Amino acid sequence: MSTWSPTSWKTKTITQDVRYEDPKEVEDVVTALGRLPPLVTSWEVERLRELLADAQQGRRFLLQGGDCAESLSDCRPDIITNRQKIILQMSLVLIHGGHRPVIRVGRIAGQYAKPRSKPTETRGGVELPSYFGDLVNRPEFTPEARRADPQLMLACYHHAAMTLNFVRSLSDGGFADVHHPEYWDLSFFQQAAVPGELREEYEQATRKLSEALRFMEALGERTVADLTRVDFYTSHEGLNLHYESAQTRQVPWRKGWYDLTTHLPWIGERTRALDGAHVEFFRGIRNPVGVKLGPSVSPEDAVRLAEQLNPDNEPGKLVLITRMGAQKVADALPPVVEAMRRAGRLVLWVCDPMHGNTVSTSSGIKTRNFDDVLREVEQSFDVHERLGSILGGVHFELTGEDVTECMGGAVGITEKDLERNYATLCDPRLNYRQALEMSFRLARRMSRLARAPQS
């Protein structure tokens, strides 16, 4: 294998390449980014690797979630707080159901770039570059906004730093309102469409969780946040390699190179070519790395990806995030899992039930159905359970806001409701109530697994 450096990716084919007009301006921005402090630390990265290694063994569970694409305008305390609150609330439900610690990883403080199926977009006979996220250009449909602007990399770095600063202050201070689940917005479980048995199960779980948290507080005479030391980690798709490599560096007293824009970068379905620039870059860093795998991936290519991205087969290094779709997962997932087992590769299996279940309505609105999302997760649990492997995490696009982008769930969002508050810049997200309902549904499944006799 050829010698690696933080810029060796430039010798490879770059899928989803950004077409900047002025290479000198890009070079100046990359130099400026390289002089700025890192957004995360190497010891945080190494700690996350340890936790992910535990999750590979079934001792922890990964909850990864957040916006499809962050925007610079969303760097506001209320939006950041709501995003973190739903992740924390979901994690508490999963801890209660799965009887194991949960690793909380947000799609936050860096999820500013999005791959697109087409490089250009046409409206009213006018063709312009597609919107690739605030890291690259702007969503407004004008030539000025759609120009790839290198200065946005610096803007996103600064907004990521401010977001991280606030996330860390929230983590250190604790979220008082999540200690009492009886105050959560669970009114949607009272709707007629929710079966009585399921409603009672939710209410019972909420009561038990509330009692357990209050007991911990009373026992320790401190808040739950103090007792559990709630840690959040960040993740984003490492799409723009100029941005990623600019913050990739060696640190004192540690071997290797760290991408310090985030704790857990991932490679998307569109950029996982074995001979491509993204695999070349991410094979050389110490961070744990995720890879999205869709139904088209061959078992052989999946194994080769694992060999390239984790040549020493280290625990906690590689996260395989499968996004097969509810209609395909039962057939597409088993050959990949079996191939990885035969090759003896250490990976953390995670289910992304969002991206394989995107559909368009009759009026052209992109949406997802809650039941399809849930079905893919449940079928993924079935596959891993049948094959003797471990589904160690889930990956959701979600928000803490009351948007109407995904249909279904106990909230009963229908196609005609979508335009009421369809706010996403790219892909449809589960709203607060759908995300919380999803966590209860997953906890129900995890509880059955936790009670199952161990062989």
Side-chain angles (χ1 to χ4, degrees):
M1 191 173 287
S2 59
T3 302
W4 183 91
S5 77
T7 57
S8 59
W9 59 270
K10 294 182 179 181
T11 66
K12 304 288 184 177
T13 301
I14 307 171
T15 309
Q16 299 280 322
D17 192 16
V18 178
R19 304 293 184 181
Y20 291 112
E21 296 174 358
D22 186 349
K24 177 63 166 58
E25 186 180 11
V26 175
E27 183 180 331
D28 291 344
V29 167
V30 167
T31 299
L33 282 169
R35 292 171 178 161
L36 292 169
L39 292 171
V40 302
T41 65
S42 62
W43 56 86
E44 290 171 338
V45 170
E46 291 294 339
R47 174 57 179 159
L48 179 58
R49 280 182 54 139
E50 294 173 3
L51 299 178
L52 296 176
D54 282 348
Q56 289 176 351
Q57 301 297 319
R59 294 192 292 265
R60 296 180 186 271
F61 192 81
L62 171 66
L63 173 62
Q64 186 176 8
D67 249 310
C68 61
E70 290 179 276
S71 71
L72 299 181
S73 62
D74 283 347
C75 188
R76 293 165 31 195
D78 55 335
I79 291 178
I80 297 170
T81 299
N82 285 341
R83 286 174 180 166
Q84 297 307 95
K85 183 174 73 171
I86 184 57
I87 293 290
L88 182 51
Q89 287 182 344
M90 291 176 72
S91 71
L92 292 176
V93 173
L94 295 178
I95 289 169
H96 183 261
H99 304 290
R100 49 185 149 157
V102 169
I103 309 164
R104 305 167 184 91
V105 176
R107 293 170 56 113
I108 196 168
Q111 185 55 17
Y112 296 115
K114 286 291 290 182
R116 306 316 298 260
S117 56
K118 296 180 180 179
T120 61
E121 177 184 359
T122 301
R123 298 185 193 177
V126 177
E127 185 179 17
L128 293 176
S130 295
Y131 169 61
F132 283 87
D134 281 6
L135 191 68
V136 176
N137 55 8
R138 295 289 196 171
E140 295 80 18
F141 195 73
T142 65
E144 295 77 19
R146 292 300 176 91
R147 170 186 171 269
D149 182 359
Q151 298 299 324
L152 288 173
M153 287 190 279
L154 282 169
C156 285
Y157 167 89
H158 290 297
H159 281 73
M162 289 185 285
T163 299
L164 267 170
N165 181 62
F166 188 56
V167 165
R168 286 175 171 139
S169 68
L170 288 173
S171 179
D172 290 340
F175 296 115
D177 55 349
V178 302
H179 297 161
H180 301 280
E182 68 271 23
Y183 299 149
W184 298 359
D185 181 9
L186 299 173
S187 59
F188 51 94
F189 289 137
Q190 303 302 322
Q191 297 188 18
V194 179
E197 179 184 354
L198 193 58
R199 186 184 307 124
E200 171 56 30
E201 190 172 342
Y202 293 149
E203 292 172 350
Q204 186 179 47
T206 302
R207 287 195 300 270
K208 288 182 178 179
L209 185 55
S210 176
E211 291 167 3
L213 291 171
R214 280 201 293 265
F215 175 75
M216 289 175 66
E217 288 178 339
L219 184 66
E221 297 182 349
R222 293 178 294 170
T223 66
V224 171
D226 290 335
L227 290 170
T228 61
R229 184 59 182 87
V230 175
D231 288 321
F232 284 103
Y233 295 93
T234 67
S235 65
H236 64 246
E237 180 172 356
L239 192 63
N240 188 326
L241 296 178
H242 296 289
Y243 181 76
E244 303 301 326
S245 60
Q247 281 265 306
T248 297
R249 59 192 67 177
Q250 293 178 300
V251 299
W253 307 296
R254 292 191 191 276
K255 294 181 179 179
W257 294 79
Y258 292 84
D259 177 357
L260 298 180
T261 66
T262 189
H263 301 105
L264 173 58
W266 76 82
I267 302 170
E269 167 75 356
R270 295 183 178 95
T271 53
R272 58 171 172 78
L274 288 161
D275 57 353
H278 290 80
V279 170
E280 169 63 22
F281 174 74
F282 286 109
R283 76 177 177 87
I285 60 173
R286 287 286 302 165
N287 304 58
V289 173
V291 186
K292 294 286 188 81
L293 300 179
S296 65
V297 67
S298 70
E300 297 76 21
D301 279 354
V303 171
R304 283 195 286 267
L305 276 168
E307 290 170 347
Q308 286 200 42
L309 292 169
N310 187 15
D312 296 327
N313 208 20
E314 298 176 75
K317 168 65 177 177
L318 186 60
V319 182
L320 295 185
I321 308 167
T322 59
R323 38 153 294 178
M324 304 295 185
Q327 305 301 322
K328 298 179 179 179
V329 62
D331 294 325
L333 181 57
V336 179
V337 174
E338 290 177 324
M340 210 64 62
R341 179 182 56 79
R342 287 195 300 269
R345 306 307 301 182
L346 297 176
V347 303
L348 174 61
W349 292 104
V350 172
C351 174
D352 167 6
M354 305 296 290
H355 287 85
N357 294 303
T358 305
V359 296
S360 293
T361 66
S362 55
S363 58
I365 298 176
K366 280 202 303 185
T367 188
R368 291 158 175 159
N369 189 288
F370 181 94
D371 290 339
D372 291 339
V373 172
L374 177 62
R375 187 159 62 251
E376 180 164 355
V377 180
E378 290 180 332
Q379 290 189 55
S380 296
F381 270 117
D382 291 342
V383 167
H384 286 285
E385 191 174 357
R386 186 171 70 250
L387 297 179
S389 58
I390 296 170
L391 179 61
V394 286
H395 182 126
F396 291 111
E397 287 187 341
L398 53 83
T399 177
E401 310 302 315
D402 190 25
V403 300
T404 55
E405 297 168 2
C406 293
M407 298 187 295
V411 293
I413 294 176
T414 64
E415 182 175 337
K416 68 176 183 294
D417 297 318
L418 293 177
E419 294 186 14
R420 193 171 74 237
N421 189 18
Y422 194 95
T424 182
L425 291 173
C426 292
D427 294 330
R429 304 159 294 175
L430 298 175
N431 65 25
Y432 170 81
R433 292 182 290 176
Q434 288 170 325
L436 194 53
E437 181 185 358
M438 184 64 68
S439 67
F440 274 105
R441 298 266 193 164
L442 296 184
R444 189 185 194 191
R445 174 61 185 258
M446 292 170 67
S447 180
R448 293 204 303 270
L449 289 173
R451 291 195 301 264
Q454 301 297 312
S455 57

